[in-house]
Amino acid sequence: MNGTAAAVGGSAPSCRFAHYFVVCGVDTETGLEPDDGAGENFEQIPIRRSFRSRVLVHYPENRDRNPFNKDAVNMLCMPRGLSFCTQADRLDPHFHSFTITSDDGTRSYGFVHTFYEEVTSPQIITAMQTLYQMHHVDSLEESDAESLARVPGCLGCVGSFDAARDTLYVSKALCLITPLPFLQASRQFLAQLHQAVTSQTAPPLPLESYIYNILYEVPLPPPGRSLRFHGVHGPIVCQRPGSGELPLGDYPLGEAFTLLGVDSMVKLLTCALLETQVLLYSKDYQRLMTVAEGITTLLFPFQWQHVYLPIISTPLHHLLDAPVPFLMGIQHRDGAQRSSLHLPHEANLCFVDIDNHCVEAPEDLPPFPDQTELIQELSEVLLNFGLPPQGGVTTNPTTTTTSSSPRLSSLVLEDLMEDRQNGNLGGEELAVLERLQALAKRCGGKKGSEGGKTLEHVFEEEEEELKSAKLNIQLREVFADRFTAIFGSYEDFIVHSAPDLDSWLSNRDGSCSFDKGSFLSIQPAAHLQFLSRFLETSMFSSFVDGKIISRWVDREPLQQLFDSRLEQERLYDMSDEDSRSRPYRKCTTLSESAQMVERRLSKTDHTALHPHLLDMRIGQGRHHPGYFPKLQADVLLQAHNSHKWSSRVTASHRSEPKRSIVTNPPGVDGEPKQRHAFSRRTIRQSKLLDPSPRVISQTHREFVDGLLSECRLKTKRMLMERMGKECVELGQGEASITGLQENTLIHGLCDLLERTWGHGLQLKQGKSALWSHLLHYQAWLKFVCGRRVLEDGALLLRGFLMQDMRFIQTMRDDLSEVAQARAWIHLALEKKMLTQHLKELLRNQELLRQLYKPHAFLLCEEEREQFLFHLLSLNTVDYLCFTRTFTSISIPYRVVIIPMKKLSIAMATVNPWVCVSGELGDSGVRQIPKNSQEIFFQCKNLGRLSTLQLGVHENSGLLAKCLIDCVMVYNEITGHTYKFPCGRWLGKGVGDGSLERVLIGQLVSPGAEEDSGRCTGTPPELTSPSQSVRAVLGSLGIQEDLREAANNLVKYFHKPEQERGNLTVLLCGEGGLVLALEKFLLHGFKSNRLFQRNVFVWDFVEKAMVSMETSDQMGDLHGSTLTKSPPWDLLCHYMNAITTSPRNIGKEGKFQLFVCLGIRDRLLSQWFPLLAECPLTSRTYEDGALLRDRAAVRSLCRILQTLNEFCITLEAALVKGVDL
């Protein structure tokens, strides 16, 4: 709003204080027309009904840059239409404001003073009398003569109207439309006009003079300056912030905070920042505007990008169907209940009941960063101004009296007041003024002149206005300082990928403009939930886009101001603290910003031209007390440049010289840059404010197109994040993002589906539109198919729509409708059945037509099919969103042991057990039933499965042995299948004699069981290599495998914790560290003469330790320090602990445990030199073996030492039974 400054006294439309002056009321020529859109029934008495108002006059006729929207202005000036009353009712005037946005995005502000004027038209009075009689006749239960005779007697009831006895009044609105939100000045000007109308004495000049003056002769105050102009009865002062200050915000934030409280205002601002749908609810239109403008003002440096209608009348209530973020306000009618509101979108709705001081936020709203400290700071600011921070204070902001502006009884006193405002009075003069004030108080303090005020009251009003302005700027500075702290380094993460503006615009949807992952990585963990969602909003995207295009065009004023603040902050902030641990810092500019406002308001910089007589016809401008006159149009339609007063601007009495005309500076290079109007595609407000059926249909058509476009962009974004450059590489080429970013994207998808299903909805159960549709579908299916079919689980196929829905309904008792809908979406997305379920849901056209209005998105067949097609693309990636979100629920699992086909008969002699482990816990030991190869069990959600312990009991005998191919585990809810390859013997006397194995598993895609398991599953068994295999195990390849395994571990720990994969896979899986070290120790092995049968690495490690102990006892290691060093003692201690473990995990399992414990306790790099220098090594390995190559051993130790800086936590399944 703080754009190019106007020249003082200029007459260009962009430089004037006001754009239009409007009068709305009853049109005596058209008579009484019922306001069909007012939503009121004819059972009300006629005097309480609403009738259609008209724009009676507006001046000027039009402006090129800001055309006059007659219907919209009329609707916003009188949202409830005409209001009638009699002398028995209260006739207090009231004030409200509104905002209106032109098609080019320029926002104007309307200020409305509504009062009651006596009806003088006989036609209107007769029509009201007739309507009243018809109402009573219709309300009689019996139409006999006796009842009809009682009708005149009813006319004396409360609220009745009798033309012979009562005086009829009708509402009339005076409106001033301005380019900037000059709330206080406009309110005073309109109140003085009304005061002049009601006064028994005529004003000094005809009202046309004051209206002409405000429209054509009062300029905008220059940036950083204040301006005084004159109303009917006294001076009015307005001010405008300078180029380095926050934009003008004249709406009283203190009132909004005292109505709702600090906690609720912060919650409401959080909802606005995350672009939820915000609905304000109050009986008072001005309260709606105060809260709405207060919230949008606090968004600096960001701007609301969506539907913004702080006041919507009843004909516009169809906009509550809008499936887009909005900030709207509706009036709370007397006697109306919250439940009577038809709100299709409640899943992501923030409902603000202003009168009851209540904010109902969406269920999963994250806290604002440093919310507790922010609330404390805001509370201190309010307490400094004497306001309670807890809210709930009822104010009466729109009640105006006829004396709301100063009318001094003496012109001398008025001049003194002006001099005092200008700062031109010295000490003696001020003392004189104070004595005059005291005298005026004694003489007229209780009974002043008609409509006037005492000087004491004038001063009190000035102090109150100054206090409100200072509170406004301080509250705004606190929030601006917060955004400066949070986004102080945002420029470092902007991605400039386009060489010029045209190429950037053409590739904007498919390009990444901001490195969100890197930005989030430097933020405190407590802020991530809010920031990850905020970075996905349109207001942040628009902010980043504005920064990018500023390379080629002028920056937006708000962005320019924010960047300058960041530069100033960097100059004074010399600390090198990590942003993740930086403490909360209070705003330090509160006093300075308040002083600048106080300086402008206490000493006026400029004075506009005084109102003067116009060239009017004789007889015009006569004063009729109580009636607003019919204005002379010819003098108000346009400015008269030839008039002798047209170009005069009176300077203030201050001796300070005038400041030159202020304009925005050109580009940094001194030459003006190209200006570029960049904005996202939004629906024009002029179309939203048009209640005609044709425009309403077009509006909803645009909503449909917008939903389809949003679905395309969201699904594309989800696929890019899942598969593209921002994915996490888990060492084995598995593309996956987890945790925070995935939850943020899926939350956006849930919100999109809720808004889609809420568009045009007319029958809803609960707050969730999607879940309501599912419940209706469930009820319809029970009715059509019969209860027996639905309750017989055997007849339901896995993944069937109702099966998933029934599971969600019984999953937990504390889930709301919104939470159930989101759980259902998470489950369907994880099962890759979201599109299939939604298609099944939408196949019932009869149910759709019952639930939805004709314009609903779900009844647009072509767009609906495209929507489902975009959702279908999500099936190309794997999600674990349900598994990782609902961690406390119970899940049924099925485990199937698959032996080698040739030896499957051996399973009959084995009584195995299993223990399944995942990222959330383990299932405990589960015994497989006899003569069975599978087991069903239910336990708490294990998360993504990682390991499986498979074993047989110690007392099973020598015949209890089998060769296991793999073990399959099925999640019966999500449909996920995990394969745990084995390929080893289980039992005594075979293989390595293991009675228990720890298998590493992986998630397999449906139909891909044959190809899965080779990447991250249990590695194949390695025995003493033959001559042919030995050639394959080259030293370079083994060392490369070691480096790759260690590098994968390093990458794992350098990723954010919420984006890490499975550490067990990187240690023990295919390509893991255990397998790489096993290959290292097998390289160059001579033969298997020293040991019988197969050779296992553990055999060598165990024999090496025994050999060194024996040599030490015999004195063969005389002079050596190997057996006397702490690493040797620890090696022996760990070896003994592993050997004596009660678990019979075999030789492979023991070596795996040896490596895992060594790397966990940072000892592995010390053990390998001991093994290399062992006397047994030279006899067991060839000369070229890696273990005998000192350079290779040193290289191995350096690789292992790089892992010592990380804290490695092992799964319980790996270290079970070993207490080290």
Side-chain angles (χ1 to χ4, degrees):
M1 285 299 177
N2 200 12
T4 304
V8 179
S11 58
S14 60
C15 302
R16 295 171 181 169
F17 178 88
H19 285 161
Y20 294 99
F21 178 80
V22 187
V23 180
C24 296
V26 61
D27 188 347
T28 56
E29 295 183 1
T30 58
L32 290 185
E33 298 178 272
D35 193 352
D36 299 331
E40 298 170 341
N41 55 53
F42 288 95
E43 295 179 359
Q44 291 182 306
I45 58 176
I47 207 169
R48 295 290 180 259
R49 297 176 190 170
S50 295
F51 297 89
R52 188 172 298 175
S53 63
R54 301 284 183 183
V55 173
L56 303 180
V57 293
H58 70 276
Y59 305 106
E61 189 68 27
N62 221 335
R63 291 190 187 276
D64 295 336
R65 299 182 183 180
N66 188 20
F68 187 77
N69 189 334
K70 188 174 184 179
D71 294 332
V73 171
N74 177 53
M75 185 183 301
L76 294 170
C77 283
M78 311 191 83
R80 292 194 62 178
L82 295 172
S83 176
F84 286 88
C85 61
T86 65
Q87 76 283 352
D89 300 303
R90 295 191 61 178
L91 303 179
D92 296 332
H94 59 273
F95 172 86
H96 80 273
S97 57
F98 62 85
T99 179
I100 187 168
T101 306
S102 60
D103 293 343
D104 64 356
T106 304
R107 184 179 295 181
S108 301
Y109 292 84
F111 304 98
V112 185
H113 183 95
T114 304
F115 62 97
Y116 285 93
E117 189 177 74
E118 182 179 346
V119 178
T120 58
S121 170
Q123 295 89 346
I124 301 297
I125 296 174
T126 303
M128 180 60 69
Q129 182 76 62
T130 303
L131 288 173
Y132 199 86
Q133 292 178 348
M134 292 173 61
H135 171 74
H136 279 278
V137 171
D138 292 340
S139 64
L140 293 176
E141 296 181 356
E142 297 179 1
S143 302
D144 53 16
E146 182 180 356
S147 299
L148 289 175
R150 291 199 301 266
V151 170
C154 295
L155 297 179
C157 301
V158 177
S160 64
F161 173 69
D162 183 0
R165 182 177 61 248
D166 298 322
T167 303
L168 186 64
Y169 293 87
V170 64
S171 57
K172 177 172 283 189
L174 307 179
C175 175
L176 194 66
I177 299 178
T178 65
L180 295 180
F182 292 116
L183 172 70
Q184 301 298 337
S186 301
R187 184 174 184 171
Q188 291 181 32
F189 176 81
L190 294 174
Q192 290 189 29
L193 277 184
H194 178 229
Q195 180 184 346
V197 170
T198 58
S199 175
Q200 294 300 318
T201 58
L205 296 171
L207 294 187
E208 286 87 345
S209 296
Y210 301 100
I211 297 172
Y212 181 90
N213 177 254
I214 196 74
L215 287 177
Y216 302 112
E217 296 174 337
V218 176
L220 285 175
R225 293 287 183 165
S226 56
L227 173 73
R228 182 179 62 198
F229 62 94
H230 285 76
V232 179
H233 295 300
I236 300 170
V237 177
C238 62
Q239 60 91 23
R240 189 175 175 190
S243 57
E245 302 176 65
L246 293 177
L248 178 64
D250 211 16
Y251 283 83
L253 279 173
E255 181 183 333
F257 274 86
T258 52
L259 282 170
L260 296 177
V262 177
D263 291 26
S264 294
M265 280 294 287
V266 172
K267 186 188 301 183
L268 176 55
L269 180 70
T270 305
C271 291
L273 286 166
L274 297 181
E275 296 184 341
T276 66
Q277 294 177 321
V278 178
L279 184 62
L280 308 178
Y281 192 54
S282 174
K283 293 181 179 179
D284 193 325
Y285 288 121
Q286 184 56 19
R287 285 184 178 177
L288 297 175
M289 273 295 295
T290 298
V291 174
E293 280 295 306
I295 288 298
T296 55
T297 299
L298 295 177
L299 292 178
F300 171 85
F302 309 103
Q303 299 180 70
W304 183 258
Q305 300 290 314
H306 303 281
V307 176
Y308 181 69
L309 295 172
I311 297 176
I312 58 171
S313 58
T314 303
L316 301 179
H317 280 195
H318 69 91
L319 292 176
L320 295 176
D321 278 352
V324 295
F326 58 67
L327 202 165
M328 295 193 291
I330 58 176
Q331 188 190 38
H332 179 191
R333 301 290 181 92
D334 292 333
Q337 300 296 324
R338 156 77 190 274
S339 57
S340 63
L341 292 175
H342 176 64
L343 303 176
H345 310 281
E346 290 186 89
N348 201 34
L349 176 71
C350 178
F351 185 83
V352 184
D353 190 342
I354 300 176
D355 300 334
N356 291 320
H357 326 295
C358 175
V359 174
E360 299 176 19
E363 294 179 5
D364 56 349
L365 184 72
F368 189 83
D370 295 317
Q371 179 167 301
T372 303
E373 293 83 356
L374 174 63
I375 289 175
Q376 178 64 31
E377 184 177 6
L378 292 170
S379 300
E380 292 175 2
V381 173
L382 291 173
L383 289 172
N384 289 338
F385 285 86
L387 298 177
Q390 67 272 14
V393 178
T394 302
T395 60
N396 192 17
T398 63
T399 299
T400 52
T401 62
T402 56
S403 58
S404 61
S405 60
R407 184 190 181 197
L408 304 181
S409 57
S410 170
L411 294 177
V412 176
L413 291 181
E414 179 178 341
D415 290 339
L416 287 173
M417 288 292 296
E418 292 183 9
D419 285 341
R420 176 182 178 273
Q421 283 189 324
N422 294 332
N424 294 322
L425 293 182
E428 296 181 0
E429 294 165 320
L430 281 175
V432 172
L433 183 58
E434 290 175 358
R435 289 196 296 272
L436 288 174
Q437 176 193 358
L439 179 62
K441 180 179 179 181
R442 291 194 300 269
C443 299
K446 294 184 179 180
K447 184 178 180 181
S449 59
E450 179 189 355
K453 283 190 175 182
T454 64
L455 288 174
E456 180 184 15
H457 291 165
V458 173
F459 291 149
E460 288 177 356
E461 285 186 354
E462 288 180 359
E463 291 299 323
E464 194 64 31
E465 183 179 346
L466 177 60
K467 175 182 174 182
S468 176
K470 292 167 67 175
L471 176 59
N472 261 19
I473 194 63
Q474 291 197 10
L475 291 172
R476 295 174 64 197
E477 284 287 351
V478 171
F479 282 98
D481 187 67
R482 279 293 83 217
F483 288 122
T484 301
I486 296 172
F487 296 99
S489 60
Y490 85 98
E491 295 172 289
D492 298 336
F493 302 94
I494 291 181
V495 180
H496 297 283
S497 57
D500 53 61
L501 179 60
D502 291 336
S503 61
W504 180 82
L505 290 173
S506 59
N507 298 310
R508 178 170 159 269
D509 288 340
S511 61
C512 176
S513 301
F514 192 79
D515 189 353
K516 299 173 184 175
S518 298
F519 177 79
L520 292 174
S521 67
I522 66 168
Q523 302 302 318
H527 300 178
L528 294 180
Q529 193 177 7
F530 169 83
L531 290 176
S532 64
R533 287 176 56 178
F534 179 70
L535 298 186
E536 301 294 329
T537 60
S538 295
M539 73 172 70
F540 182 77
S541 298
S542 179
F543 178 77
V544 172
D545 291 344
K547 181 64 177 179
I548 292 176
I549 65 173
S550 66
R551 298 166 61 193
W552 305 290
V553 300
D554 286 344
R555 282 184 295 177
E556 290 289 330
L558 291 183
Q559 191 149 37
Q560 186 174 0
L561 175 59
F562 185 68
D563 290 346
S564 65
R565 286 182 162 232
L566 292 183
E567 294 174 4
Q568 186 176 5
E569 182 72 17
R570 295 189 192 105
L571 291 176
Y572 293 99
D573 186 11
M574 306 302 293
S575 62
D576 296 330
E577 294 176 298
D578 186 358
S579 58
R580 287 172 289 188
S581 59
R582 179 173 294 185
Y584 183 92
R585 296 179 181 176
K586 293 184 179 180
C587 181
T588 58
T589 60
L590 298 184
S591 176
E592 178 185 352
S593 58
Q595 287 175 2
M596 288 189 287
V597 174
E598 183 176 10
R599 189 162 50 247
R600 285 193 293 269
L601 288 178
S602 60
K603 295 183 180 181
T604 309
D605 295 296
H606 301 284
T607 301
L609 181 69
H610 281 251
H612 52 85
L613 281 173
L614 302 176
D615 297 330
M616 300 175 62
R617 295 191 299 271
I618 298 177
Q620 293 291 329
R622 290 184 178 179
H623 178 65
H624 300 280
Y627 296 94
F628 193 82
K630 184 177 181 180
L631 301 174
Q632 185 172 335
D634 56 345
V635 299
L636 294 177
L637 284 177
Q638 59 184 354
H640 304 284
N641 293 328
S642 59
H643 196 278
K644 64 179 180 179
W645 298 94
S646 61
S647 59
R648 280 189 53 190
V649 177
T650 305
S652 63
H653 298 296
R654 293 174 55 187
S655 59
E656 179 184 343
K658 287 186 179 180
R659 178 174 293 187
S660 59
I661 298 174
V662 180
T663 58
N664 276 347
V668 291
D669 54 358
E671 295 184 4
K673 285 187 175 181
Q674 171 193 0
R675 289 203 171 271
H676 179 76
F678 175 78
S679 62
R680 291 178 175 268
R681 181 172 176 247
T682 56
I683 299 178
R684 293 178 299 172
Q685 193 189 58
S686 59
K687 182 174 289 188
L688 295 175
L689 293 175
D690 192 338
S692 63
R694 180 183 62 84
V695 176
I696 290 177
S697 177
Q698 292 177 358
T699 300
H700 284 287
R701 183 69 226 181
E702 291 191 38
F703 286 146
V704 169
D705 295 339
L707 282 174
L708 184 59
S709 176
E710 185 179 355
C711 180
R712 177 181 62 83
L713 294 176
K714 277 192 181 295
T715 52
K716 181 180 178 181
R717 171 74 198 285
M718 292 176 71
L719 290 174
M720 290 175 62
E721 289 286 348
R722 190 74 177 171
M723 304 170 65
K725 62 182 180 181
E726 294 185 31
C727 297
V728 178
E729 292 293 336
L730 296 180
Q732 308 296 336
E734 178 187 357
S736 169
I737 68 169
T738 58
L740 186 68
Q741 291 185 358
E742 181 175 291
N743 290 340
T744 301
L745 295 174
I746 295 176
H747 179 276
L749 178 65
C750 294
D751 175 47
L752 172 63
L753 291 175
E754 283 287 358
R755 287 188 281 112
T756 302
W757 257 253
H759 183 228
L761 181 64
Q762 56 186 359
L763 292 176
K764 182 162 72 81
Q765 300 179 23
K767 289 188 174 183
S768 170
L770 177 59
W771 192 250
S772 173
H773 194 172
L774 286 166
L775 291 175
H776 281 101
Y777 180 84
Q778 187 181 49
W780 172 83
L781 203 57
K782 287 182 179 180
F783 175 76
V784 172
C785 303
R787 184 177 298 273
R788 181 188 63 81
V789 176
L790 287 177
E791 292 182 349
D792 188 356
L795 297 180
L796 292 174
L797 299 175
R798 187 175 66 178
F800 187 65
L801 172 62
M802 285 297 102
Q803 183 184 21
D804 289 347
M805 186 177 175
R806 285 164 61 88
F807 174 76
I808 298 298
Q809 290 173 315
T810 58
M811 183 175 69
R812 272 170 47 185
D813 296 333
D814 59 341
L815 290 181
S816 64
E817 299 95 344
V818 176
Q820 286 179 319
R822 289 177 178 169
W824 183 85
I825 295 171
H826 280 70
L827 179 58
L829 186 61
E830 186 166 322
K831 296 177 68 172
K832 300 188 178 183
M833 298 192 70
L834 181 60
T835 302
Q836 180 178 335
H837 284 349
L838 294 179
K839 187 175 292 186
E840 173 67 25
L841 188 64
L842 297 174
R843 189 171 285 123
N844 189 341
Q845 293 292 315
E846 180 182 354
L847 181 62
L848 281 177
R849 286 190 290 269
Q850 292 176 6
L851 298 179
Y852 288 91
K853 302 172 185 176
H855 64 254
F857 178 90
L858 297 182
L859 292 179
C860 301
E861 186 173 352
E862 182 178 347
E863 287 77 9
R864 187 179 65 206
E865 291 301 318
Q866 294 183 49
F867 189 90
L868 294 176
F869 176 78
H870 291 310
L871 292 178
L872 183 62
S873 64
L874 297 178
N875 288 358
T876 59
V877 292
D878 295 324
Y879 285 99
L880 291 172
C881 49
F882 180 84
T883 300
R884 285 172 171 157
T885 301
F886 301 93
T887 57
S888 61
I889 64 173
S890 183
I891 298 287
Y893 294 93
R894 181 165 65 99
V895 179
V896 179
I897 300 176
I898 302 177
M900 288 293 186
K901 294 182 179 179
K902 295 181 180 179
L903 301 171
S904 60
I905 192 172
M907 287 296 298
T909 63
V910 180
N911 189 21
W913 56 266
V914 296
C915 178
V916 184
S917 299
E919 57 191 2
L920 300 178
D922 64 71
S923 64
V925 174
R926 303 282 176 166
Q927 186 67 49
I928 306 292
K930 287 186 177 181
N931 300 321
S932 176
Q933 297 176 204
E934 66 177 338
I935 181 177
F936 288 88
F937 63 87
Q938 191 156 342
C939 68
K940 185 179 177 181
N941 183 10
L942 302 177
R944 180 165 183 162
L945 305 185
S946 56
T947 60
L948 181 141
Q949 295 171 252
L950 174 65
V952 296
H953 293 287
E954 188 81 25
N955 57 0
S956 298
L958 294 175
L959 296 178
K961 60 186 68 173
C962 60
L963 183 59
I964 305 298
D965 180 23
C966 65
V967 180
M968 308 296 295
V969 181
Y970 303 94
N971 185 320
E972 297 295 302
I973 298 301
T974 65
H976 282 153
T977 300
Y978 295 86
K979 184 176 183 180
F980 295 84
C982 181
R984 292 166 172 78
W985 281 96
L986 193 66
K988 294 181 179 179
V990 290
D992 61 350
S994 175
L995 297 181
E996 176 186 339
R997 293 198 180 278
V998 178
L999 307 180
I1000 311 300
Q1002 77 168 55
L1003 179 65
V1004 297
S1005 301
E1009 287 84 354
E1010 296 299 325
D1011 297 330
S1012 63
R1014 291 202 289 263
C1015 291
T1016 59
T1018 306
E1021 182 177 8
L1022 288 180
T1023 59
S1024 178
S1026 63
Q1027 192 68 29
S1028 60
V1029 177
R1030 200 176 301 162
V1032 179
L1033 297 175
S1035 61
L1036 293 178
I1038 293 175
Q1039 290 177 305
E1040 182 63 31
D1041 289 346
L1042 272 170
R1043 285 190 290 268
E1044 184 66 23
N1047 188 43
N1048 289 336
L1049 288 168
V1050 172
K1051 289 193 296 183
Y1052 171 89
F1053 286 104
H1054 278 88
K1055 291 296 181 181
E1057 186 174 353
Q1058 67 273 12
E1059 295 183 356
R1060 295 173 181 174
N1062 191 340
L1063 180 60
T1064 303
V1065 171
L1066 300 180
L1067 288 173
C1068 307
E1070 181 75 15
L1073 184 64
V1074 173
L1075 181 60
L1077 290 174
E1078 192 173 359
K1079 291 179 180 180
F1080 186 92
L1081 291 177
L1082 285 174
H1083 181 264
F1085 205 83
K1086 286 183 177 179
S1087 66
N1088 57 1
R1089 285 197 318 270
L1090 297 179
F1091 310 104
Q1092 298 178 357
R1093 292 175 296 185
N1094 292 336
V1095 175
F1096 295 92
V1097 172
W1098 181 253
D1099 289 328
F1100 164 73
V1101 177
E1102 198 171 29
K1103 293 292 183 180
M1105 187 188 69
V1106 174
S1107 173
M1108 293 179 70
E1109 289 179 341
T1110 303
S1111 299
D1112 182 47
Q1113 295 172 2
M1114 297 176 63
D1116 294 344
L1117 296 178
H1118 180 71
S1120 174
T1121 59
L1122 287 178
T1123 59
K1124 299 178 182 179
S1125 62
W1128 168 256
D1129 295 336
L1130 290 172
L1131 175 60
C1132 294
H1133 177 61
Y1134 275 69
M1135 292 284 291
N1136 291 330
I1138 295 173
T1139 304
T1140 58
S1141 169
R1143 296 174 63 190
N1144 195 335
I1145 56 178
K1147 297 175 181 179
E1148 287 189 348
K1150 290 178 181 178
F1151 180 74
Q1152 176 177 286
L1153 184 56
F1154 171 79
V1155 174
C1156 290
L1157 291 174
I1159 200 69
R1160 182 195 70 180
D1161 298 336
R1162 303 175 176 87
L1163 297 172
L1164 207 57
S1165 60
Q1166 303 176 29
W1167 289 346
F1168 267 87
L1170 298 178
L1171 296 176
E1173 296 183 24
C1174 174
L1176 181 64
T1177 302
S1178 60
R1179 301 195 300 269
T1180 308
Y1181 286 87
E1182 297 174 352
D1183 293 339
L1186 289 173
L1187 192 59
R1188 296 187 62 182
D1189 185 347
R1190 292 188 177 182
V1193 174
R1194 285 196 299 267
S1195 176
L1196 172 63
C1197 292
R1198 285 195 298 269
I1199 292 174
L1200 296 176
Q1201 285 170 357
T1202 61
L1203 303 177
N1204 290 346
E1205 61 180 287
F1206 306 118
C1207 182
I1208 296 178
T1209 303
L1210 301 176
E1211 280 192 36
L1214 296 177
V1215 296
K1216 185 178 179 181
V1218 179
D1219 187 14
L1220 286 172

